[in-house]
Amino acid sequence: MKSIKIFLYLLIPISVFAKSYFYPEIKTRIIFHPDGSANVIQQRTYYFDGAFSWAYIDLKKHGAQNIVFNQLSEIENDQKIILTPAINDNQKSLGIKWNYSAHNELKTFLLDYTIIGAVKRNIDVAEFYWKVIEDEHEKIIDNEIELILPMPSPNLFKVYVHCRAKPGELIFNEKSDAVTIKQHNIPKDAFVEVRMLTSPAIFSELTTIPEHRYQKILAEEKRNFIISSLKKFVLIPIAALLIVILPLIIYLRYYFKYGREAKLTDIGQYQHDAPRKVLPIMVPAILYQKPDKSTINTITFNGMIATLLDLCTKGIISIQEIKVDGKKQYQFLLEKPGRIETLEPINKKIIDFLFSEVGESSVILTETALKEYANKHNDRFQDFLQSIYQQTKEWWEATLATPLIDPMSSHAYQKFSLLTLAMIIAGGILLTIGLSTILGSAAFIIVILFCLIFYIVFVLAGRSILRWSDIACQEQQRWLNFRRFLTDFSAIKRAPITLLPIWEHYFVYAVVLGVAQKFLRNIINLATEQNTSIVLPTWYSSATISAQSLASFAEGISHFESFVKNFNSMLDSFSSSAATGGGFSSGGGGGGGGGSSGAG
């Protein structure tokens, strides 16, 4: 059976990058004598991950008259090998340090020492109050403590165990002269303190302290039990209520009261033309209610490309398809730089940035230059995109004469975020106190991560409380209907306008709406169905197809599709995207003993 347990311990995953150790098992036998002394025989099994050569244990003498070292041995193949440790004995503690050789293996050591004055004898009770497992130590998988009295104590035999771990088992024998304590998974640095109460008569050689302490001790243990129970069964549920339940209830209340969009009537399914004549760069801000930074960068860049195409249709810019190292690339040429001053301020800002700052010259912008600039000056590029987006958002709010986001929903979201933060902080404090009775010092880190995850989840989910103002909601829906029209071939066929002669105008909006390729497929299908030939525009030239072959729309459109795909791939590159009796409690700390242990 023991070999099976050892095999299972070896299966426990341990880091291979740093040496460490833990205790698969510690078994302690404490034999009490009529004079109040206690002989402690402790078998410690270590699992060493890595190379180790020494270990120590420091036993505090607080609460006792003295601690006397008896013997230290190593258990190997059921044989005891006596060791000669270095002893550091002083008034406050007994230090024991020994050497050995271990590498990725189990080792078992047997420590034998005597606690002088371990038991205190009062008029009505004899008390042993001691930290059997020290204050500082590594994790213990199985812990077993056996207390053996010098004679039976049937009229009074109670044991209380204090430890920040799950309650274990207390097994009293029939003669009432021994008890076994069994525990599992003792956290690192969680002491195990034992408080044993017996009849004072069994320690006949011990001087009696003229004081009645029995009722006082029971009151202390009752208080420990109540506090421990409150931490486990009251604080943890309250913490869960504060961290999870209440924020969820508040979120649902705020969402249904403030977050649902206005119900629009008489909007229809399709919008056959742009809802209003606006610059292409303005469109993204009305499409996305609450985009994150990465999305803002992508949609704004998309709008800048649409701006270039729009200026192409006006003869200010042209596009050339070129070959660089045998691969297709594109460059924009500023054909009429003199007309820049006549452009709208935001378009002028975009052109100045792309050609004067990014481009290879004041009149040439290449795909290569654009990529290189974005790689070398990523922060500057993103700051520019963010500033353009903010400018377009402010333009919509001025044009529509209303904030894009409903002010009441904004206020509700801010209130929800603050309430959630306050509740999660309060819940985190309570949860740390509650879990510390089980997990020890590790509870703090676990709670921090737990609370952080839930706060992020609620803050992100809470953004759905934000809603469009009624006017902005109506405007956005019209643009969405326009986008739906551009992607629905049957709607294009039934449109009251003829798209083929003016397809370039619609193509600019298709680019900024993110449906360029679907729109182009619809145009080619429409041209084929109507047996109409369409050539590429004059502002687009190809290095791979002759001008004459551009008469075939089906052939020319493939270059536009390639062009859109190429820039779509560029967009991705810019995204950063718990008579006999007893029990267990977590209080205590008032007993004697304690100390620390280690290995290296």
Side-chain angles (χ1 to χ4, degrees):
M1 181 67 181
K2 186 176 181 66
S3 62
I4 295 176
K5 288 178 69 176
I6 291 174
F7 174 74
L8 292 175
Y9 294 140
L10 292 173
L11 294 179
I12 297 175
I14 302 175
S15 170
V16 297
F17 300 106
K19 74 176 189 176
S20 62
Y21 76 96
F22 67 95
Y23 298 101
E25 184 178 62
I26 295 181
K27 298 180 72 172
T28 307
R29 195 177 189 210
I30 305 178
I31 304 170
F32 295 92
H33 302 284
D35 63 355
S37 64
N39 180 212
V40 180
I41 304 171
Q42 190 172 75
Q43 180 177 296
R44 292 182 173 234
T45 299
Y46 296 73
Y47 177 73
F48 296 109
D49 174 38
F52 286 78
S53 60
W54 58 267
Y56 81 92
I57 183 167
D58 187 60
L59 303 171
K60 300 298 180 185
K61 295 181 180 180
H62 171 72
Q65 296 173 15
N66 199 6
I67 299 178
V68 178
F69 170 75
N70 298 323
Q71 189 180 79
L72 177 70
S73 58
E74 180 179 349
I75 307 298
E76 188 173 336
N77 298 323
D78 295 326
Q79 300 293 317
K80 289 175 59 175
I81 303 172
I82 306 300
L83 302 178
T84 305
I87 304 298
N88 180 17
D89 191 1
N90 56 62
Q91 195 173 16
K92 293 184 177 180
S93 67
L94 172 66
I96 305 167
K97 184 176 181 180
W98 64 99
N99 298 318
Y100 56 88
S101 178
H103 185 268
N104 297 341
E105 60 182 303
L106 285 165
K107 275 195 174 292
T108 300
F109 300 97
L110 192 63
L111 177 62
D112 187 336
Y113 61 92
T114 300
I115 307 171
I116 308 298
V119 177
K120 305 295 183 292
R121 184 187 184 194
N122 293 89
I123 296 173
D124 53 353
V125 65
E127 176 188 18
F128 170 72
Y129 198 6
W130 197 259
K131 292 177 181 175
V132 179
I133 301 298
E134 59 276 9
D135 306 88
E136 300 173 14
H137 59 82
E138 294 301 315
K139 181 178 180 180
I140 305 168
I141 305 300
D142 289 319
N143 181 49
E144 182 175 306
I145 302 170
E146 185 180 11
L147 307 176
I148 302 173
L149 303 180
M151 64 178 65
S153 181
N155 297 325
L156 175 57
F157 192 8
K158 295 183 180 181
V159 175
Y160 301 95
V161 181
H162 307 146
C163 181
R164 296 195 305 266
K166 293 180 180 180
E169 296 178 84
L170 278 177
I171 307 169
F172 292 87
N173 72 351
E174 295 179 355
K175 296 180 180 180
S176 295
D177 64 352
V179 62
T180 300
I181 301 162
K182 292 185 177 181
Q183 295 173 288
H184 302 285
N185 296 321
I186 308 298
K188 178 180 178 180
D189 297 339
F191 64 76
V192 178
E193 186 177 61
V194 175
R195 194 176 205 178
M196 181 185 73
L197 308 179
T198 68
S199 168
I202 68 173
F203 294 101
S204 56
E205 299 177 15
L206 191 59
T207 302
T208 301
I209 301 171
E211 179 184 355
H212 290 82
R213 276 187 51 81
Y214 184 56
Q215 293 300 327
K216 183 178 180 179
I217 292 171
L218 291 183
E220 289 177 2
E221 290 304 322
K222 183 178 180 179
R223 184 170 62 251
N224 280 336
F225 176 75
I226 292 173
I227 293 173
S228 177
S229 298
L230 283 172
K231 289 179 179 179
K232 293 177 183 177
F233 305 115
V234 177
L235 295 188
I236 293 178
I238 291 176
L241 182 69
L242 288 170
I243 296 171
V244 181
I245 307 301
L246 285 181
L248 180 60
I249 292 173
I250 295 174
Y251 162 73
L252 293 174
R253 179 179 180 272
Y254 280 13
Y255 172 75
F256 285 108
K257 185 173 182 179
Y258 302 104
R260 290 184 291 182
E261 299 293 348
K263 293 182 179 180
L264 302 176
T265 58
D266 302 327
I267 293 295
Q269 185 178 6
Y270 297 109
Q271 179 89 25
H272 296 113
D273 203 347
R276 64 174 71 218
K277 292 182 179 180
V278 298
L279 298 175
I281 191 62
M282 302 297 182
V283 178
I286 200 64
L287 293 178
Y288 297 85
Q289 186 187 78
K290 34 190 175 283
D292 56 25
K293 183 176 180 179
S294 178
T295 302
I296 289 174
N297 291 341
T298 299
I299 62 178
T300 304
F301 183 73
N302 211 18
M304 287 167 59
I305 297 301
T307 296
L308 293 177
L309 292 174
D310 184 45
L311 295 177
C312 284
T313 65
K314 296 172 180 168
I316 299 175
I317 293 175
S318 66
I319 301 174
Q320 288 184 350
E321 179 189 318
I322 60 176
K323 271 196 170 185
V324 178
D325 297 329
K327 296 181 180 180
K328 287 183 185 178
Q329 287 200 14
Y330 297 85
Q331 67 179 12
F332 294 87
L333 302 177
L334 190 54
E335 300 286 354
K336 298 179 180 179
R339 291 182 57 183
I340 293 178
E341 296 301 322
T342 65
L343 298 178
E344 298 81 356
I346 193 168
N347 275 359
K348 183 179 181 298
K349 182 178 179 180
I350 292 171
I351 296 302
D352 285 344
F353 175 76
L354 291 178
F355 284 91
S356 299
E357 186 170 340
V358 178
E360 294 180 351
S361 71
S362 60
V363 295
I364 300 176
L365 172 66
T366 64
E367 181 181 331
T368 298
L370 191 59
K371 288 181 177 180
E372 289 179 352
Y373 183 89
N375 287 330
K376 293 179 181 179
H377 309 283
N378 187 264
D379 291 341
R380 162 64 180 150
F381 198 93
Q382 292 194 34
D383 287 345
F384 182 79
L385 294 173
Q386 295 285 321
S387 69
I388 291 293
Y389 176 81
Q390 184 62 33
Q391 191 173 338
T392 61
K393 181 180 177 182
E394 292 170 356
W395 180 89
W396 277 108
E397 290 180 335
T399 301
L400 300 177
T402 180
L404 296 183
I405 303 300
D406 177 65
M408 292 183 66
S409 72
S410 295
H411 178 71
Y413 174 67
Q414 294 172 3
K415 189 175 180 181
F416 166 76
S417 299
L418 291 174
L419 285 173
T420 298
L421 179 61
M423 287 186 292
I424 287 179
I425 290 175
I429 294 172
L430 297 181
L431 188 60
T432 301
I433 297 172
L435 287 181
S436 65
T437 63
I438 301 173
L439 302 176
S441 57
F444 178 75
I445 297 175
I446 293 173
V447 170
I448 289 291
L449 293 175
F450 181 80
C451 291
L452 183 60
I453 290 172
F454 270 90
Y455 181 69
I456 292 173
V457 168
F458 277 119
V459 167
L460 292 178
R463 291 178 65 82
S464 61
I465 295 172
L466 299 170
R467 71 178 182 191
W468 293 107
S469 61
D470 290 350
I471 296 175
C473 182
Q474 191 173 56
E475 182 73 23
Q476 185 220 27
Q477 190 59 54
R478 289 195 177 104
W479 283 97
L480 295 179
N481 289 348
F482 181 45
R483 182 168 67 184
R484 187 181 298 113
F485 166 72
L486 296 176
T487 60
D488 192 328
F489 180 66
S490 61
I492 288 177
K493 283 176 58 178
R494 298 192 305 268
I497 54 176
T498 303
L499 286 182
L500 293 179
I502 56 173
W503 71 271
E504 293 176 56
H505 166 76
Y506 282 82
F507 177 69
V508 171
Y509 285 111
V511 169
V512 77
L513 291 168
V515 294
Q517 294 186 56
K518 289 183 179 180
F519 174 71
L520 290 174
R521 283 196 294 269
N522 287 335
I523 290 299
I524 189 172
N525 291 336
L526 182 62
T528 302
E529 187 175 292
Q530 295 183 2
N531 196 25
T532 301
S533 178
I534 300 179
V535 297
L536 290 178
T538 57
W539 44 263
Y540 181 88
S541 63
S542 172
T544 58
I545 298 180
S546 64
Q548 290 79 6
S549 62
L550 293 181
S552 168
F553 179 78
E555 189 173 2
I557 202 66
S558 66
H559 286 274
F560 265 124
E561 289 182 313
S562 175
F563 167 77
V564 174
K565 288 179 182 178
N566 184 273
F567 276 99
N568 280 342
S569 67
M570 271 202 291
L571 295 182
D572 295 336
S573 71
F574 299 136
S575 298
S576 55
S577 321
T580 64
F584 293 80
S585 69
S586 61
S596 60
S597 61

